[in-house]
Structure formats: C-alpha cells, structure tokens
Amino acid sequence: MRLTGLTIRNFRNLRSVNLSPAPGVNVIYGENAQGKTNLMEAVYLLTGQKSFRAARESDFVRFGEETARIEADFICQGRQKSAALALGGKKQAWLSGVECTPGELTGEFLAVVFSPGELALIQQGPAERRAFLDGAISQVMPRYLATLAAMGRILLQRNTLIADMLKSGSAAAMEPLLETWDRSLARAAYSVCHARARFLRRLAPPAAEIYQSICRREDQPFRLSYQPSIPAPQGADWAEIPPAEGEAHIRAALAAARGEDYKNYCTTLGPHRDNFEVTLAGVSARSFGSQGQQRSCALALKLAQCRVMEETLGEAPIILLDDVLSELDRTRREYFLRGEHPGQVFITCCDRGAARQLCGGAAFRMKEGRLYRPGERAGRKEP
C-alpha cells in the first residue's frame, strides 16, 4: 500500500497542501500547532474510520470556509486508485472517481495511526479497546462495519422497547415482542463475538513478539485475553462456536438478564459491554504497568495490527506515527527511520534531527499550515 499523491483543501488550518511523498519514510517536522497532526488526520480519514482525535465533523472545515476536501492517489495490490472526501454539510466520498459512502473506503485505503492518545488503549476503559478492535477488524473485513451498525440499531430498538414496557406497566404482555428483538440481537451479537475472538487469536502472537523486541524482557510475557460480556458456552472460545449454538446461548443469556435489564432500563449484556485485557507476566498492564510498559503494549498492538493486515490482504498498511518518535527507544526509532518497516511510513515530530537520520525517504517542513521541502521557503536555506 503506497500513497503517491495527496491534496488537502481547507481542512482545519491547512488551506492548501500538495504532497508527493516518498515510497518509504516521510518525516514532517515543525513547531507545535503548525498543522502536522491535521495532515495525519486527513490521511487517516481516507480509511473510512472515525478520526483518531476527539472531534466534531464541523471542526474539520477551515474557519470561514464552507467545505473541506481531501484527495489521494494510491497504489494497492498493484493497481492505481484514488480516494476523496468532501467535508462540511453532507459528507461525501469517492473511490476511483465513483461516488460511494465513506464507509466503503474501509478496506480500500489502508492505514494505522499511532499517536500520544493511543495510550488510552491501555490506560482507559473497555470502550477504548472495543473501538480499537472494531476498527482493526473492519479494515480486514469491511462487512463487519455493517454488522456493528445493525447491532447498534437493534440495541437502540430493544432499549426503547424495554423503556416503553416499564412505562406502560404491561411488560408481561409485551415480552413476545422483546423475544423477537432478542433473536435479532443474538444473530448480530454472535457475529461480533466470533469475529472479535478470531481477530484477537491472530493478533496475540505478533503482539507478544513485537513487545519482546521492544522491551527485551523475557520475564514479562505479553498476553491478550478476550473478555466477552456473555462468555462462550461451557468455557469454550467464541472463535470455535458454530452459529446455531452461539445464537441460542446468547438468547438464553439475554433472557436470564431480563430482570437486570428492567432495573437499568437498557440491555445489560452483549458485545457492547465486551473488553479485552493485556497482561504482562500475568498482571494487568492497565492497573500495574508503568507508563513505559503501557506505551510499549499500545505500540505492540498497533504494529501487530499492521502485520495481520499484511497477512490478510497482502498489503502492508501505511503507518502514521504522530508526534511519538521521541517516546520510542533507539531501536524502534531506527526501525522506522531506516525504512526497515515493509510499508510506507509518515512521521511527524518537532525536531528536524529526525530528518537528518533518514536513510533515503523524504523530509518536509510544516509551517503555518503549509508544507515545504527543506530550504524551499523564500528560495533560501533554513537557518
């Protein structure tokens, strides 16, 4: 997977950016608040995923403008393709010139981002880990997005029905309708649990290997464990459960939890409450890991995601390293700067020194929302 050209218009503080990146490593440096992260965010939005920053879509458009546009030319599986997004008002997307939904870009333009906020993947609650897992799965299995959306709609309808049942005082009479929604939820929930269990099974070995290569601590074995809200039947793994058995098991769990649902006016069991845990030497990385260990765990998960994507799709995704270079150890910095990663890499940093360490690749300077090659501005070399 390789980005060959990028055009950005009126996205955040980026009025007009045209980038022709190198096929290997690209370093974008400059002082804080110049637009480096905005550029990375623009590239990542082309994956069809949500922004890796907490943002409203209205914030994407440059102040005083009505729309923003992001366009990219890229090579995937040996074919030249293009992707475009228009933001502001109705969100529109195009793939190789054909209009599509933004979600249809998922699985076409492949990128993985690592930013300072990725520590939340380890430090924060289950919602952060579910978001990572669902985003990672959808890039290798785009139809998973449709399953998630369907499950979300079913949960909303089921929760609304529960509230109506309790308010009307006729819960018993309306339970057959609730059972209908349970059947629909069980089908979607099984698909989600099955996909999550299978993906974590594939993610765990490379993540453990990468963590060891980062930390070089054999006494700290890295483990991933899926923690579904509804455990698989008879202590089995959801990856091994056939659909009929899995759906029946989920329906039974939903029926057993109905009393709790009535107390809470919502669905208290299901994949929307799932989690997965990262442990080091059998101890929770979230609760007991140092910040350095947590950062290494998050990086291991992201790089393992890249490996699974490459194995599944035959393409190494683009890696976006946003302002994290200084937090990596020397070995990991050199891994990226020397082009040892098989895919294309974009790195943002404040220190121009990273550009000097490049073995090949290209360096760019970001200044007030504009991108320059070193020495290009005003026709003179930088001081």
Side-chain angles (χ1 to χ4, degrees):
M1 173 77 197
R2 180 161 66 89
L3 180 66
T4 57
L6 178 69
T7 301
I8 303 172
R9 298 288 183 268
N10 299 323
F11 180 80
R12 294 196 184 267
N13 78 323
L14 307 178
R15 179 185 294 278
S16 179
V17 168
N18 296 287
L19 173 64
S20 296
V25 184
N26 296 271
V27 173
I28 300 161
Y29 66 93
E31 297 176 359
N32 290 324
Q34 300 302 305
K36 301 186 302 294
T37 297
N38 295 341
L39 187 147
M40 301 289 258
E41 181 182 31
V43 173
Y44 188 71
L45 286 174
L46 291 169
T47 65
Q49 304 286 311
K50 293 181 179 179
S51 171
F52 58 87
R53 306 159 82 183
R56 298 172 300 177
E57 289 195 4
S58 59
D59 295 336
F60 292 152
V61 181
R62 181 181 170 88
F63 183 75
E65 302 291 341
E66 294 184 357
T67 60
R69 191 173 177 91
I70 307 164
E71 300 178 358
D73 295 317
F74 61 99
I75 298 172
C76 185
Q77 296 180 342
R79 296 175 58 191
Q80 184 72 48
K81 299 182 180 182
S82 64
L85 276 175
L87 307 164
K90 181 184 177 182
K91 189 176 182 181
Q92 295 176 282
W94 294 265
L95 182 61
S96 296
V98 178
E99 189 168 1
C100 61
T101 65
E104 288 178 289
L105 296 178
T106 300
E108 297 286 345
F109 188 89
L110 309 173
V112 173
V113 65
F114 189 77
S115 68
E118 301 303 327
L119 271 177
L121 176 56
I122 304 298
Q123 294 177 340
Q124 300 301 316
E128 297 285 346
R129 288 179 285 283
R130 285 195 301 271
F132 160 75
L133 192 54
D134 291 338
I137 295 171
S138 65
Q139 290 216 58
V140 297
M141 191 172 69
R143 67 180 183 275
Y144 180 76
L145 276 178
T147 302
L148 278 178
M151 189 181 74
R153 291 191 295 269
I154 294 166
L155 278 169
L156 178 61
Q157 294 288 345
R158 189 179 190 273
N159 290 343
T160 300
L161 177 60
I162 289 172
D164 290 345
M165 291 168 67
L166 297 174
K167 290 175 183 176
S168 67
S170 56
M174 299 174 74
E175 283 201 347
L177 183 56
L178 186 61
E179 290 171 3
T180 299
W181 284 113
D182 283 359
R183 287 192 293 272
S184 297
L185 179 57
R187 283 193 294 272
Y190 166 78
S191 296
V192 171
C193 291
H194 184 69
R196 286 174 175 173
R198 290 184 64 190
F199 188 83
L200 282 171
R201 178 183 287 188
R202 294 188 63 188
L203 191 71
E209 177 189 333
I210 292 166
Y211 180 84
Q212 286 300 327
S213 73
I214 294 172
C215 296
R216 305 187 187 281
R217 291 289 302 272
E218 294 184 3
D219 60 331
Q220 294 179 2
F222 177 105
R223 296 284 185 273
L224 287 179
S225 59
Y226 183 31
Q227 297 180 332
S229 171
I230 302 175
Q234 301 177 350
D237 188 326
W238 271 115
E240 305 292 343
I241 304 299
E245 181 183 354
E247 291 173 22
H249 179 72
I250 292 172
R251 288 199 305 272
L254 291 171
R258 202 162 285 171
E260 285 299 310
D261 292 352
Y262 292 160
K263 288 180 185 177
N264 292 276
Y265 283 70
C266 66
T267 305
T268 55
L269 287 181
H272 58 298
R273 299 291 182 91
D274 283 358
N275 191 14
F276 73 85
E277 185 175 38
V278 178
T279 60
L280 299 174
V283 177
S284 168
R286 179 192 181 195
S287 300
F288 301 103
S290 67
Q291 185 159 309
Q293 288 173 319
Q294 291 172 344
R295 183 179 294 109
S296 296
C297 287
L299 182 59
L301 288 171
K302 289 286 186 171
L303 293 179
Q305 177 191 350
C306 293
R307 192 175 297 181
V308 172
M309 290 172 70
E310 184 177 6
E311 291 172 354
T312 304
L313 304 172
E315 292 281 342
I318 294 169
I319 289 187
L320 307 173
L321 296 177
D322 184 40
D323 197 27
V324 296
L325 201 62
S326 62
E327 299 178 356
L328 302 180
D329 59 59
R330 179 181 175 182
T331 300
R332 194 54 51 182
R333 285 197 301 272
E334 290 182 352
Y335 172 80
F336 291 114
L337 290 171
R338 294 183 180 276
E340 295 176 29
H341 175 71
Q344 192 177 34
V345 180
F346 290 82
I347 299 171
T348 65
C349 58
C350 294
D351 182 13
R352 188 187 177 188
R356 299 191 182 99
Q357 298 175 46
L358 271 176
C359 294
F364 305 87
R365 183 189 183 200
M366 180 68 77
K367 177 72 172 178
E368 297 175 349
R370 293 185 178 275
L371 204 60
Y372 303 89
R373 293 300 296 260
E376 177 183 357
R377 193 177 190 190
R380 61 184 175 81
K381 292 185 177 181
E382 296 173 28

